[in-house]
Amino acid sequence: MSRRNRAGRRQYISDNKADPNVQYVVAQQGVAAPATMPRNMRAYIQEGYRSSKIVFPIVQHIARAGAGIKWKHYTDESKKREITDPNDALMALWKVPAAKDKVSGSAFREAMIAYYCMTGNSYILGINANQSPTAPFDELWNLRPDITKKKLDETGVRYYEFGNFTPPLRYPEPFVMHNRLFAGNDDVYGMSPIEVVAMQIDTQKAGQKWNLGLLNNMARPGGAWVTDSLLGAQEYKTLKEEIRKKFAGPRNAGETAILHGGVKWQSMSMSPLELDWLESDEKSDKDIARVFFNFPLFLLGMADSTFSNQEEARYALYTEIVFPILDMFQDSLNMWLTPRYGGYLGYDQEDVEAIQKRLQEAKAKESERAQAEFTAGTVTFHEAREIQGKPKLPVKDFVIINYVPVHVEDLDDYIASMAGKTINPPAPPPHQLPGPGQTTVTPVDETIPDIPDENTPPAKPKPPVAPAKAQDDIVEVVPYDAISREQYRELLRAKR
C-alpha cells in the first residue's frame, strides 16, 4: 500500500475495440499493477494501525482495557497477601515508569499492549544509574518495535539495537524484556496479526480510494470518451482538459454532458453495483476482527446491540483477549523485573467491573459446593471456609461424620471406637442358633379344637357337656393361638 509498483506501464489493446482513439487514451493512462502492503513492522503500524478504520479501534479497545486494570505487589505467587508499604519501590516504578518525562503507568501499559497487538512484539527497557544488570530500575520505557533489532550469536541474545540513526543505541540483554506473539517459522521476532489480514486491509483501502476517485471523476467508473474521428495530440489534450474542467469533481456531479464531434462515453470497468462494495467491506471488517484474537463484533457496532449482548461482549473482551495477554506479561515481568525487588507483581481481575458479577456468581457456586461437601463429610471445616474465601478461625478443625462433629486429631480414635459396633457387631447368643443340619420339632397338643377361618361355615351349637366324672375325661383348655390352624383341624377330625 505504501510502496506502489511502478516497474512499467502496460499497453492495453482490445480486439473488440478497433477504434484508434480508445487505444491512444489507454496507452496514455496505462493499467497500474496492484500495490500491496510491505511485510515489515513499520508497514504494520503505518498502513495497518494508522490507516485502517477497523484495526485502529480494535487495538485501542484491547490496549485501553488492559491499561485500566490495577496491579498489586504480593508476597508470593498465591496472591493472598498484598504488600501495602507506601514506600514500595516496585509499585512506585510501576505507577510512574518515567517520572522525568511524566509517563503514567496506564499510558505505559497501553503502549506496551498496543505494540504487542500491532506488531506481535513488545520491548521494555529498564534503566538504572549504576548500570547494574541485577539492581532495581529507575525508569521503564517502551521501545518501538519497528526500529528495534535483536542481535544473536550461537550462545543466544547478545544485545538489542534501537534507533534508525548511526550508530544505533545498544542495550545488553538483561536490560530489555522482549515479549512476542508466536510466529511459527521465526525464532527471533513475533508475528503481527496485521500480516494475516494485510490483503483485506489493502482491499479496503483500495475500495475507499475507488469511491474517492468516483467522486472526483463525475461519480462514474473508469472508461473513455470515444469519437469516430481521429484526434491529434493537441486535440486530445484540449478535449481531456475540457471534460475535466466541466464534469470532474463533486461540484460538477450530475452535470449533463454535451459534447460536439460525436464524442460518447464507453465504460471500461465494472460498475459499483457489480463490485458490491458495501457487502465486501463489511465482510472484510469481520475477517479482520476475527484474526485480532476473535474481537467481539458488538463493540464495533457490527452486530445487533442490546444490553445483554454488550455485557457479554465486554465480558468476552476481558476473559478471552485482555486477560491472556496480561497473563503473558505478568509471567515475563516476574522473571525479569520482580526479582530485583522481591515478591510477586500481578494484576487484579476483581478490579474489572465488567466481570465482577460473574466472579460473584462463581464465588456463590463455590460456597454452595463447599457447604455441600462439608455436610457430606468430604472436607473439613477449615477446608470449607478456605474454598469459600473466608479467613481461618482460631478453633480446632473438625469433620462431620453421620451428623456428628469429630475433631481431626481424634478421628483415628473415633474410627477405632466405632469399628466394633459397626464393622464387627457381636454374635447372637448360642441357644438361638440351631446346629448345622438339625431340624427343630415342636410337639403339638391335638386336644385343642380347630381354629375356624373366614371360609369355614359357622358350626352348630352343641349341647352343653356334662361335667366330667373321671380324671381322664378332663380336657385341658389351650389357647387357640398356641398351635397352627392345620394342627387344630387334625385334632378335631381325630376326635370325631
Side-chain angles (χ1 to χ4, degrees):
M1 283 152 54
S2 63
R3 296 180 181 176
R4 184 171 299 278
N5 188 349
R6 303 182 184 274
R9 296 178 180 271
R10 302 176 185 175
Q11 186 173 0
Y12 178 84
I13 301 176
S14 175
D15 296 336
N16 298 327
K17 299 182 178 66
D19 194 324
N21 289 311
V22 175
Q23 300 180 16
Y24 181 80
V25 171
V26 176
Q28 291 293 326
Q29 294 180 350
V31 179
T36 59
M37 180 192 304
R39 299 305 190 261
N40 56 58
M41 297 183 189
R42 182 179 180 182
Y44 300 150
I45 297 175
Q46 179 64 37
E47 305 293 341
Y49 176 73
R50 296 176 63 93
S51 303
S52 174
K53 66 183 180 64
I54 189 67
V55 175
F56 176 81
I58 290 177
V59 174
Q60 279 293 299
H61 269 293
I62 298 175
R64 298 179 71 175
I69 299 179
K70 292 183 179 179
W71 289 67
K72 297 180 180 179
H73 192 188
Y74 300 94
T75 57
D76 52 31
E77 190 175 353
S78 64
K79 295 185 178 181
K80 294 182 179 180
R81 293 180 58 190
E82 180 185 357
I83 299 176
T84 58
D85 185 3
N87 298 321
D88 188 359
L90 177 59
M91 289 308 300
L93 178 67
W94 195 240
K95 290 179 180 179
V96 185
K100 294 181 179 179
D101 290 356
K102 299 181 180 180
V103 178
S104 65
S106 59
F108 173 84
R109 290 186 290 273
E110 180 181 355
M112 176 183 71
I113 299 173
Y115 279 136
Y116 180 79
C117 295
M118 283 187 287
T119 66
N121 295 271
S122 172
Y123 301 92
I124 298 180
L125 171 66
I127 300 175
N128 52 30
N130 54 7
Q131 298 184 355
S132 173
T134 58
F137 291 132
D138 300 325
E139 292 182 352
L140 294 177
W141 291 92
N142 283 295
L143 301 180
R144 278 176 47 185
D146 58 321
I147 55 176
T148 302
K149 296 182 180 180
K150 197 173 184 178
K151 298 299 182 179
L152 303 90
D153 58 12
E154 64 276 2
T155 61
V157 182
R158 294 183 57 193
Y159 56 87
Y160 292 84
E161 283 188 354
F162 174 76
N164 50 8
F165 39 80
T166 304
L169 298 176
R170 292 184 177 182
Y171 299 108
E173 187 271 337
F175 292 89
V176 179
M177 184 183 77
H178 179 205
N179 288 285
R180 59 190 183 92
L181 192 62
F182 180 72
N185 60 351
D186 194 339
D187 298 328
V188 181
Y189 300 103
M191 178 177 176
S192 170
I194 298 178
E195 181 177 351
V196 183
V197 293
M199 191 64 67
Q200 283 84 350
I201 297 175
D202 288 334
T203 304
Q204 282 191 332
K205 294 188 66 176
Q208 294 167 5
K209 292 180 179 179
W210 168 276
N211 291 334
L212 180 61
L214 291 179
L215 294 176
N216 293 330
N217 294 277
M218 299 171 292
R220 293 177 179 270
W225 293 97
V226 181
T227 179
D228 295 334
S229 60
L230 182 62
L231 301 177
Q234 184 62 33
E235 293 175 333
Y236 166 76
K237 183 178 179 180
T238 303
L239 181 61
K240 184 176 181 181
E241 185 65 27
E242 181 180 357
I243 293 174
R244 179 177 298 176
K245 181 178 179 181
K246 291 185 177 180
F247 307 109
R251 178 178 297 180
N252 297 323
E255 191 72 27
T256 303
I258 302 176
L259 298 176
H260 55 81
V263 177
K264 60 182 179 179
W265 174 263
Q266 183 171 347
S267 179
M268 296 175 54
S269 61
M270 293 186 298
S271 66
L273 180 62
E274 292 171 327
L275 288 174
D276 199 3
W277 164 249
L278 293 178
E279 183 178 353
S280 176
D281 186 63
E282 183 177 355
K283 183 180 182 303
S284 296
D285 289 344
K286 294 180 180 179
D287 292 340
I288 295 172
R290 191 176 299 111
V291 171
F292 270 89
F293 314 103
N294 198 20
F295 190 85
L297 299 177
F298 298 99
L299 300 179
L300 299 173
M302 299 173 58
D304 295 336
S305 180
T306 63
F307 179 79
S308 178
N309 290 343
Q310 289 287 343
E311 184 179 7
E312 292 293 331
R314 287 192 295 269
Y315 179 77
L317 170 64
Y318 282 98
T319 57
E320 299 180 12
I321 302 177
V322 176
F323 287 167
I325 293 177
L326 291 184
D327 287 338
M328 181 270 303
F329 279 108
Q330 178 179 262
D331 294 339
S332 298
L333 288 168
N334 283 287
M335 291 188 295
W336 175 73
L337 178 63
T338 311
R340 305 169 187 271
Y341 302 88
Y344 188 86
L345 182 63
Y347 69 97
D348 186 10
Q349 293 187 4
E350 298 182 3
D351 178 63
V352 181
E353 183 179 357
I355 67 168
Q356 285 180 355
K357 181 179 178 181
R358 300 296 183 91
L359 291 176
Q360 292 174 358
E361 293 175 354
K363 288 184 178 180
K365 292 181 180 180
E366 287 292 322
S367 180
E368 293 176 358
R369 181 180 66 86
Q371 180 65 31
E373 292 185 356
F374 175 68
T375 305
T378 57
V379 297
T380 65
F381 177 70
H382 287 170
E383 289 173 345
R385 289 185 62 87
E386 183 178 0
I387 295 175
Q388 293 175 340
K390 298 179 180 179
K392 185 177 180 181
L393 295 178
V395 296
K396 292 183 178 181
D397 198 9
F398 63 92
V399 65
I400 299 296
I401 300 179
N402 293 330
Y403 302 101
V404 178
V406 181
H407 288 127
V408 175
E409 59 266 24
D410 301 333
L411 194 57
D412 292 338
D413 296 337
Y414 178 81
I415 295 175
S417 64
M418 295 297 294
K421 299 178 181 179
T422 306
I423 301 176
N424 299 317
H431 64 276
Q432 295 182 0
L433 298 177
Q438 297 181 3
T439 303
T440 303
V441 179
T442 304
V444 179
D445 190 352
E446 297 181 355
T447 61
I448 302 176
D450 195 4
I451 302 175
D453 55 11
E454 59 273 4
N455 298 324
T456 303
K460 296 181 180 180
K462 295 182 179 181
V465 181
K469 297 180 180 180
Q471 185 69 25
D472 296 336
D473 295 333
I474 299 175
V475 179
E476 183 180 1
V477 179
V478 181
Y480 73 92
D481 57 351
I483 59 177
S484 64
R485 181 180 288 109
E486 289 76 8
Q487 292 173 346
Y488 193 80
R489 290 174 177 176
E490 291 293 334
L491 179 62
L492 291 179
R493 282 194 291 270
K495 287 184 177 294
R496 293 173 184 171

